[in-house]
Amino acid sequence: MRIRIVDAFTDRPFAGNPAGVLILDSFPDDGRLQNVAMEVNHAETAFAHPLPPGGEADWALRWFTPVTEVDLCGHATLATAHVLHTTGAHTGPVRFATRSGVLVATPAEDGSFTLDFPTAPLTPVALPDGVAQALGAEPLTAFDTGPNIGDLLVELPDEKTVHALRPDHKALGAHSRRGIIATARAENPALGYDYVSRCFFPNVGIDEDPVTGSAHTALAPYWSERLGRTSLTGLQASPRTGRVRTELRGERTLLGGRAVTVIEGDLLAW
């Protein structure tokens, strides 16, 4: 069985967010999927299998971190669409049946993809006690991001503060279902991005996620309202870095990016 490691939301290897991708005939029991994801040990490993023609989706898709299955993942969806197209397993837009409904990945002539995801509902909340101490910075605002994501979104005073974060990951885990999205307005939009973010997900086994597509379904409406534009670009300021193009369309958010296959090999134990 072929297994691939794909760097997503980047146009060069060893950047963006790596995901494992396996194309199957059907899903085995959950324990096998979790064991493979634990062995791959990236933020997510995606498993997909084809569905019968004529339905609302073309492929079934699931995502696992090293410790649990998740409801929504952008970078592993992008990585899976990239694998399906580069291997010839699928052409044209791909409709994925997932735990978050049908998600569509549409290819462009330049090799990039646009993902159609549900927009995260943002609800302002009081900043929980201990978040500022765990982050090492005092947020200006705090928002719940709804059931699909399960994060706490906080805005920090400036971009430098986001870059400088050295959080207490264990302490952060007490304040949301998945983790914390920390963001700030870009200091210099002339550099090609409108806002920055970093994402810390200790509750699903990921201290810091390199580039998080799902988080941008919350970042897009947050910054679109503040900046007065529906089309934006976010820089995720992790050590690997990556950029996500976002376009807010009401209850849907479009996420754009590229992907690069870095490793391809055989899965010998199954």
Side-chain angles (χ1 to χ4, degrees):
M1 184 177 300
R2 302 300 284 171
I3 182 169
R4 296 167 176 88
I5 305 299
V6 178
D7 290 345
F9 291 116
T10 182
D11 59 0
R12 58 187 176 87
F14 314 118
N17 200 350
V21 179
L22 288 92
I23 307 302
L24 311 173
D25 294 326
S26 62
F27 291 138
D29 65 85
D30 291 2
R32 289 189 184 184
L33 300 179
Q34 189 63 71
N35 282 340
V36 173
M38 181 173 61
E39 190 76 9
V40 172
N41 201 34
H42 285 314
E44 268 84 13
T45 298
F47 302 90
H49 71 74
L51 295 172
E56 66 175 2
D58 309 301
W59 294 78
L61 178 62
R62 297 172 71 181
W63 313 279
F64 285 76
T65 76
V67 299
T68 190
E69 185 172 8
V70 296
D71 293 334
L72 187 65
C73 180
H75 85 278
T77 303
L78 174 58
T80 304
H82 170 81
V83 168
L84 292 176
H85 279 78
T86 55
T87 61
H90 193 95
T91 59
V94 191
R95 300 172 300 166
F96 293 111
T98 77
R99 289 170 66 162
S100 293
V102 175
L103 309 177
V104 181
T106 302
E109 292 185 0
D110 65 359
S112 66
F113 286 85
T114 297
L115 309 180
D116 184 339
F117 273 33
T119 300
L122 299 180
T123 304
V125 295
L127 185 71
D129 291 340
V131 169
Q133 291 83 354
L135 271 178
E138 187 69 40
L140 304 175
T141 59
F143 288 79
D144 178 82
T145 59
N148 283 345
I149 300 179
D151 296 330
L152 182 70
L153 170 66
V154 298
E155 182 184 351
L156 298 182
D158 51 45
E159 180 176 344
K160 291 179 181 178
T161 302
V162 174
H163 284 282
L165 290 175
R166 299 294 183 269
D168 180 337
H169 298 289
K170 184 176 181 180
L172 283 182
H175 301 295
S176 66
R177 181 164 58 87
R178 184 174 73 165
I180 305 288
I181 306 167
T183 187
R185 187 186 302 246
E187 292 184 4
N188 182 8
L191 294 177
Y193 56 92
D194 302 289
Y195 58 89
V196 298
S197 66
R198 290 176 67 188
C199 295
F200 309 103
F201 303 142
N203 289 339
V204 292
I206 305 165
D207 282 348
E208 179 167 7
D209 198 34
V211 190
T212 314
S214 60
H216 285 76
T217 66
L219 290 163
Y222 185 83
W223 286 111
S224 289
E225 179 179 349
R226 284 152 183 76
L227 299 177
R229 289 182 286 123
T230 57
S231 296
L232 301 169
T233 297
L235 171 71
Q236 195 151 333
S238 68
R240 291 176 65 99
T241 75
R243 298 192 184 200
V244 182
R245 301 189 310 274
T246 64
E247 182 177 342
L248 184 63
R249 293 189 176 180
E251 294 183 354
R252 308 297 294 184
T253 294
L254 304 185
L255 310 174
R258 301 175 67 95
V260 180
T261 300
V262 178
I263 296 173
E264 181 175 348
D266 292 323
L267 180 65
L268 301 179
W270 182 243

